[in-house]
Amino acid sequence: MSCCDLAAAGQLGKAGIMASDCEPALNQAESRNPTLERYLGALREAKNDSEQFAALLLVTKAVKAGDIDAKTRRRIFDAVGFTFPNRLLTTKEAPDGCPDHVLRALGVALLACFCSDPELAAHPQVLNKIPILSTFLTARGDPDDAARRSMIDDAYQCLTAVAGTPRGPRHLIAGGTVSALCQAYLGHGYGFDQALALLVGLLAAAETQCWKEAEPDLLAVLRGLSEDFQKAEDASKFELCQLLPLFLPPTTVPPECLRDLQAGLARILGSKLSSWQRNPALKLAARLAHACGSDWIPAGSSGSKFLALLVNLACVEVRLALEETGTEVKEDVVTACYALMELGIQECTRCEQSLLKEPQKVQLVSVMKEAIGAVIHYLLQVGPEKQKEPFVFASVRILGAWLAEETSSLRKEVCQLLPFLVRYAKTLYEEAEEANDLSQQVATLAISPTTPGPTWPGDALRLLLPGWCHLTVEDGPREILIKEGAPSLLCKYFLQQWELTSPGHDTSVLPDSVEIGLQTCCHIFLNLVVTAPGLIKRDACFTSLMNTLMTSLPALVQQQGRLLLAANVATLGLLMARLLSTSPALQGTPASRGFFAAAILFLSQSHVARATPGSDQAVLALSPDYEGIWADLQELWFLGMQAFTGCVPLLPWLAPAALRSRWPQELLQLLSSVSPNSVKPEMVAAYQGVLVELARANRLCREAMRLQAGEETASHYRMAALEQCLSEP
């Protein structure tokens, strides 16, 4: 058989390829084409390669391109099988006068024909050819050789068919196809555009696995695309806007890519554009903001102007979409704009190293206020049937980000929306798994098929906690929250989240947002303790909360790295104990004794005596564990000292327990060992308050303090109340 005959036989693959673009012309091939039936019989009965070649050539001549349907294709496969194509792909000897790739080209053409059938595309005999097919994409040779081009097309046809099967992307990634596609694209040889298209599909289907297997190659493609994007002056830059989000890695984006992407976006967004040109650019910018925060925006005047432009464009888009009732909302674009607004909120509230100047911050806060007003307007119209839609979740998220920083403006509108927010948070809390799925849908809606960067919280309540913390300080919003049942919901939420940190759970894998959420809940409860003490006394949910605080604090104070959470729990528990002092649970039960022992541990270990060079007397200094977080801790510590002081006269068993812990003795010893000048007046007042109440409550405490030179120490620190108390019998 001649080389030309082999090439002709290869057209069988082309017939299979074109069949995917046409309706089958032969519904009953066997009845309408008896010649084909005869040739298929010859193909089945072929005894050697030469006879199979000849029969294939005859079948090719009997079937016109586009006239082969799925049934006929399957019958050809049944006649040929995989053995013959396998030999063609692996043979190293071609007929005289033929290039060495001709036999492989015919083998690939047959596979391409078979892969038109999804069942065959997932066949193990096709899957084990993935490494071989991948090598054809980057094979060197004459770029004008039609047979070589045909082989490359057929290889892409096979790989694309495999990618379309349920487990196909996994097999392609394991077979090295991602690296081969990257190299084929970067080489810009024949078929490189097909390589990019298949890469996009694989990244959309299995981003994490792709990056795990071929990170260096994918980064090389990202560098190439970013550079092309930065240089593009034609419509290709808008196409690249749509592609580039898929090629951003789940880890760090190379700095040179960030520079090119920012420069390209600055040129696009700084021009007058139609919506179809602007929207992909906004979505790319949102993806970068979500993945990198503001790190991709350069410092200086150009960067601040670019950021201000981004946020202004985003706010305008949000208002246009949400203020006009009846307008179809492009939810993916608006959600991307939310991400840019969130970036603006972060930069406007950043005190140090902000990209924005003060006048820019003032302007952006004003424009974001208008956009948030549009978001509130939209949410007020959301009915129960829409509450589980991802776009509603995204809208609540951006509102939560705004309320976390700003509650004084739009107060009337926010109060009007609060009942909806409580109901919405309760609905998603009660269906927690659905809420988590909504979070992933929001990420998909906003930016890309996968979620890079920090994980978005999976429940609406966590998004609203910071704002509610501010609002519970104000009378009007607090009354609405209480009326709508927010405190009870928050207690349930706190207890549920606390379970995640309890023994038996691996706290090392918990996101930081869980602990931050618990701390914010504590702050809200602290606000309620101070502003609505009657609620704490009458609502049973706070009794359950108190029981949890008491049983949890002893273990919590012993855990490294969780001192701030322990401070919140201890302080909240002490303040609540003062209100719930008549509760049976606080009458010297093991749980209550364990709680107060742990609270004393937290309060007593904050300061130590520290020697100073050149001085005989030590100074009062923060303990190492407290020093790094004292700015966040000190208010809780002082509040805890005050609350403990208030509990002493209400709980008769507490003073003897404190004496057994040796806290009053050790506190006096600490004060006597340091210079009085090193102890700030507010510290003196806090220490005196505790010592005075313990001395008044219990005679043994007074005696122990006297034995520790309490009167002398009180005199040195001008603690008149303590000195007087200890002088009495």
Side-chain angles (χ1 to χ4, degrees), residues 608-621 668-679 712-713 716-717:
V608 294
R610 182 176 298 169
T612 55
S615 175
D616 295 335
Q617 200 166 19
V619 297
L620 189 71
L668 287 169
Q669 183 179 2
L670 173 65
L671 290 173
S672 65
S673 66
V674 300
S675 168
N677 293 331
S678 68
V679 186
E712 183 180 349
T713 301
H716 286 161
Y717 284 89

Side-chain angles (χ1 to χ4, degrees), residues 5-19 36 40 43 52-53 55-69 72-77 79-80 84-85 88 105-116 150 154:
D5 289 338
L6 292 176
Q11 294 302 311
L12 182 62
K14 298 299 171 289
I17 293 168
M18 293 186 66
L36 174 62
L40 285 173
L43 186 59
Q52 281 190 314
F53 278 132
L56 277 173
L57 180 59
L58 293 172
V59 169
T60 302
K61 291 178 178 178
V63 180
K64 296 179 181 179
D67 283 349
I68 182 170
D69 60 10
T72 305
R73 243 189 333 266
R74 187 59 185 244
R75 297 184 66 217
I76 295 172
F77 166 74
V80 177
F84 183 48
L88 292 174
L106 177 56
V108 179
L110 287 170
L111 284 182
C113 175
F114 299 156
C115 284
S116 305
S150 175
D154 289 335

Side-chain angles (χ1 to χ4, degrees), residues 201-463:
L202 290 177
L203 284 167
E207 179 194 45
T208 302
Q209 292 85 348
C210 285
W211 281 100
K212 184 178 179 180
E213 291 293 328
E215 181 173 347
D217 295 305
L218 286 168
L219 286 176
V221 173
L222 174 61
R223 289 187 183 95
L225 291 173
S226 301
E227 188 175 350
D228 292 344
F229 179 63
Q230 193 271 336
K231 294 178 179 177
E233 298 291 345
D234 55 13
S236 65
K237 60 187 176 184
F238 303 115
E239 297 171 3
L240 286 168
C241 274
Q242 297 177 334
L243 286 177
L244 279 162
L246 286 162
F247 285 89
L248 295 178
T251 53
T252 304
V253 182
E256 64 272 22
C257 296
L258 293 178
R259 285 194 297 270
D260 287 341
L261 293 173
Q262 189 275 331
L265 282 171
R267 279 210 312 276
I268 290 176
L269 295 173
S271 306
K272 189 174 182 179
L273 302 171
S274 60
S275 59
W276 74 267
Q277 295 170 322
R278 181 177 59 253
N279 291 347
L282 290 173
K283 292 171 73 173
L284 173 58
R287 175 69 189 267
L288 288 167
H290 190 50
C292 310
S294 61
D295 292 344
W296 61 288
I297 301 175
S301 176
S302 63
S304 64
K305 289 179 180 178
F306 174 70
L307 177 57
L309 174 64
L310 273 182
V311 178
N312 273 287
L313 287 173
C315 291
V316 169
E317 192 70 34
V318 168
R319 291 188 64 191
L320 287 174
L322 301 183
E323 283 184 347
E324 296 183 18
T325 305
T327 303
E328 183 180 356
V329 177
K330 294 179 180 178
E331 295 180 350
D332 57 338
V333 177
V334 176
T335 310
C337 291
Y338 287 165
L340 297 175
M341 286 176 59
E342 193 163 343
L343 178 63
I345 292 170
Q346 292 168 359
E347 285 300 314
C348 284
T349 54
R350 180 178 293 180
C351 298
E352 297 180 359
Q353 297 181 335
S354 174
L355 292 171
L356 299 169
K357 298 177 181 178
E358 199 58 35
Q360 290 174 314
K361 291 183 179 182
V362 173
Q363 188 272 328
L364 288 183
V365 168
S366 176
V367 74
M368 285 191 290
K369 174 184 172 182
E370 294 174 347
I372 292 297
V375 174
I376 294 174
H377 171 74
Y378 164 76
L379 289 174
L380 284 169
Q381 302 173 64
V382 171
E385 72 283 356
K386 288 189 174 183
Q387 286 194 10
K388 296 179 183 178
E389 293 185 1
F391 183 65
V392 176
F393 187 91
S395 301
V396 171
R397 174 185 167 84
I398 187 59
L399 177 61
W402 172 264
L403 292 177
E405 306 296 342
E406 173 57 58
T407 56
S408 59
S409 61
L410 299 171
R411 183 173 302 178
K412 179 181 177 182
E413 292 83 352
V414 169
C415 288
Q416 190 178 359
L417 186 64
L418 276 178
F420 165 81
L421 293 177
V422 176
R423 290 194 301 270
Y424 180 77
K426 184 178 181 181
T427 298
L428 294 195
Y429 167 75
E430 291 173 349
E431 301 175 26
E433 290 185 4
E434 253 184 83
N436 187 61
D437 182 59
L438 270 179
S439 173
Q440 297 305 314
Q441 291 182 51
V442 168
T444 302
L445 180 68
I447 301 165
S448 77
T450 49
T451 309
T455 303
W456 284 14
D459 61 86
L461 192 50
R462 191 178 302 162
L463 305 176

